[in-house]
Amino acid sequence: MGASGVGGYWAEVVVRSPDAGGEWYLSAAWSDTPEEALSWLRSQATRLADVLEAAEDEKTSSPVGYTEPIAAVLRGWAGDEVFRRVQREALAEGRPVSANARGADRICGLRDVEVLYSLSARPIIRPGCSRGRPKW
């Protein structure tokens, strides 16, 4: 059973680049359970890793200063069932969870900038529940 007052779980994939001055929401989904939310995030991590690997193949220079490519970080998280189980438990207890990676990317072929990828899920509290309701 989920946290008291939870009406569902919101999951999303967001890319941010302070260097480029932008934030892009790539996808989002509503789930009824923590398991569904984490399963959806896992599929999005794999999908994003596939796209990033294809783009890396097209690059002529490799980014420096990062220990792993973003795709490898995302695949590592997607393959780590033990850690995702910990995240499912946290989500079921009412806490938000995320998987994050950062690296360099080329914006419109102009210049390399730092990009931050975030896959996250959080519980949504139903209106009228005592938990999370303002006490006025």
Side-chain angles (χ1 to χ4, degrees), residues 39-109:
S39 177
W40 182 83
L41 284 177
R42 182 179 184 273
S43 70
Q44 295 301 300
T46 302
R47 182 176 170 214
L48 185 54
D50 288 344
V51 170
L52 291 170
E53 285 171 344
E56 285 173 6
D57 291 344
E58 296 172 6
K59 290 182 183 178
T60 56
S61 63
S62 60
V64 294
Y66 299 96
T67 56
E68 285 187 86
I70 294 167
V73 173
L74 296 175
R75 284 198 195 284
W77 176 81
D80 190 342
E81 180 58 38
V82 173
F83 184 61
R84 282 195 330 280
R85 188 176 313 122
V86 169
Q87 288 186 312
R88 272 192 303 276
E89 291 169 8
L91 199 53
E93 292 170 3
R95 297 189 312 258
V97 298
S98 67
N100 303 285
R102 69 183 180 108
D105 203 348
R106 191 163 291 243
I107 301 296
C108 299

